Short mmCIF file of all heavy atoms in Angstrom, two decimals:
data_model
loop_
_atom_site.label_atom_id
_atom_site.label_comp_id
_atom_site.label_asym_id
_atom_site.label_seq_id
_atom_site.Cartn_x
_atom_site.Cartn_y
_atom_site.Cartn_z
N TYR A 164 -20.79 -1.29 7.15
CA TYR A 164 -19.83 -0.58 8.01
C TYR A 164 -19.71 0.86 7.68
O TYR A 164 -18.74 1.53 8.06
CB TYR A 164 -18.48 -1.25 7.81
CG TYR A 164 -18.44 -2.75 8.07
CD1 TYR A 164 -18.54 -3.67 7.10
CD2 TYR A 164 -18.52 -3.16 9.44
CE1 TYR A 164 -18.58 -5.03 7.40
CE2 TYR A 164 -18.57 -4.51 9.73
CZ TYR A 164 -18.56 -5.45 8.67
OH TYR A 164 -18.61 -6.78 8.96
N GLY A 165 -20.72 1.47 7.00
CA GLY A 165 -20.58 2.88 6.58
C GLY A 165 -19.56 3.02 5.43
O GLY A 165 -19.42 2.06 4.64
N LYS A 166 -18.90 4.08 5.41
CA LYS A 166 -18.05 4.40 4.24
C LYS A 166 -16.79 3.51 4.18
O LYS A 166 -16.03 3.43 5.14
CB LYS A 166 -17.66 5.85 4.19
CG LYS A 166 -16.95 6.28 2.92
CD LYS A 166 -17.00 7.78 2.72
CE LYS A 166 -16.46 8.18 1.40
NZ LYS A 166 -15.00 8.19 1.30
N ILE A 167 -16.66 2.86 3.04
CA ILE A 167 -15.45 2.08 2.81
C ILE A 167 -14.68 2.73 1.62
O ILE A 167 -15.32 3.12 0.63
CB ILE A 167 -15.77 0.62 2.41
CG1 ILE A 167 -16.55 -0.05 3.51
CG2 ILE A 167 -14.57 -0.22 2.01
CD1 ILE A 167 -15.86 -0.24 4.78
N ASP A 168 -13.40 2.94 1.74
CA ASP A 168 -12.66 3.70 0.77
C ASP A 168 -12.09 2.92 -0.37
O ASP A 168 -11.83 3.49 -1.42
CB ASP A 168 -11.60 4.55 1.47
CG ASP A 168 -12.19 5.46 2.51
OD1 ASP A 168 -12.88 6.44 2.14
OD2 ASP A 168 -11.99 5.20 3.75
N GLY A 169 -11.89 1.62 -0.16
CA GLY A 169 -11.34 0.87 -1.26
C GLY A 169 -11.56 -0.69 -1.02
O GLY A 169 -11.77 -1.13 0.08
N ILE A 170 -11.49 -1.38 -2.13
CA ILE A 170 -11.46 -2.80 -2.05
C ILE A 170 -10.18 -3.27 -2.78
O ILE A 170 -9.89 -2.88 -3.92
CB ILE A 170 -12.67 -3.51 -2.77
CG1 ILE A 170 -14.01 -3.06 -2.13
CG2 ILE A 170 -12.59 -5.03 -2.72
CD1 ILE A 170 -14.33 -3.63 -0.75
N TRP A 171 -9.44 -4.14 -2.08
CA TRP A 171 -8.18 -4.65 -2.63
C TRP A 171 -8.33 -6.09 -2.83
O TRP A 171 -8.21 -6.89 -1.89
CB TRP A 171 -7.06 -4.35 -1.58
CG TRP A 171 -5.67 -4.23 -2.03
CD1 TRP A 171 -4.98 -3.07 -2.26
CD2 TRP A 171 -4.77 -5.21 -2.50
NE1 TRP A 171 -3.73 -3.28 -2.70
CE2 TRP A 171 -3.57 -4.61 -2.83
CE3 TRP A 171 -4.87 -6.65 -2.58
CZ2 TRP A 171 -2.45 -5.36 -3.35
CZ3 TRP A 171 -3.73 -7.36 -3.03
CH2 TRP A 171 -2.52 -6.73 -3.36
N PHE A 172 -8.67 -6.48 -4.07
CA PHE A 172 -8.78 -7.91 -4.40
C PHE A 172 -7.46 -8.52 -4.59
O PHE A 172 -6.49 -7.90 -5.14
CB PHE A 172 -9.58 -8.04 -5.69
CG PHE A 172 -11.09 -7.75 -5.55
CD1 PHE A 172 -11.63 -6.63 -6.09
CD2 PHE A 172 -11.89 -8.65 -4.84
CE1 PHE A 172 -13.00 -6.36 -5.95
CE2 PHE A 172 -13.21 -8.38 -4.73
CZ PHE A 172 -13.79 -7.23 -5.25
N ASP A 173 -7.31 -9.75 -4.08
CA ASP A 173 -6.09 -10.44 -4.33
C ASP A 173 -6.26 -11.58 -5.26
O ASP A 173 -7.37 -12.11 -5.46
CB ASP A 173 -5.39 -10.89 -3.07
CG ASP A 173 -3.90 -11.11 -3.18
OD1 ASP A 173 -3.39 -10.88 -4.27
OD2 ASP A 173 -3.26 -11.46 -2.16
N VAL A 174 -5.19 -12.01 -5.87
CA VAL A 174 -5.05 -13.09 -6.81
C VAL A 174 -6.13 -13.06 -7.93
O VAL A 174 -6.23 -12.12 -8.63
CB VAL A 174 -4.91 -14.45 -6.12
CG1 VAL A 174 -3.51 -14.58 -5.52
CG2 VAL A 174 -5.94 -14.72 -5.06
N GLY A 175 -6.91 -14.07 -8.11
CA GLY A 175 -7.72 -14.12 -9.30
C GLY A 175 -7.05 -15.03 -10.27
O GLY A 175 -7.13 -16.24 -10.12
N HIS A 176 -6.25 -14.45 -11.15
CA HIS A 176 -5.46 -15.31 -12.15
C HIS A 176 -6.40 -16.31 -12.84
O HIS A 176 -6.30 -17.57 -12.55
CB HIS A 176 -4.35 -16.08 -11.51
CG HIS A 176 -3.38 -15.17 -10.79
ND1 HIS A 176 -3.02 -13.93 -11.31
CD2 HIS A 176 -2.67 -15.40 -9.62
CE1 HIS A 176 -2.17 -13.40 -10.43
NE2 HIS A 176 -1.96 -14.18 -9.42
N MET A 177 -7.25 -15.86 -13.70
CA MET A 177 -7.99 -16.88 -14.49
C MET A 177 -8.11 -16.41 -15.93
O MET A 177 -8.13 -15.20 -16.20
CB MET A 177 -9.39 -17.05 -13.87
CG MET A 177 -10.18 -15.78 -13.65
SD MET A 177 -11.72 -16.11 -12.81
CE MET A 177 -11.71 -14.80 -11.57
N SER A 178 -8.21 -17.36 -16.82
CA SER A 178 -8.39 -17.07 -18.24
C SER A 178 -9.85 -16.77 -18.45
O SER A 178 -10.74 -17.06 -17.58
CB SER A 178 -7.96 -18.21 -19.07
OG SER A 178 -8.88 -19.30 -18.78
#
Side-chain angles (χ1 to χ4, degrees):
Y164 305 102
K166 188 160 187 281
I167 300 299
D168 299 292
I170 301 288
W171 207 103
F172 286 108
D173 204 359
V174 287
H176 303 323
M177 52 186 135
S178 65

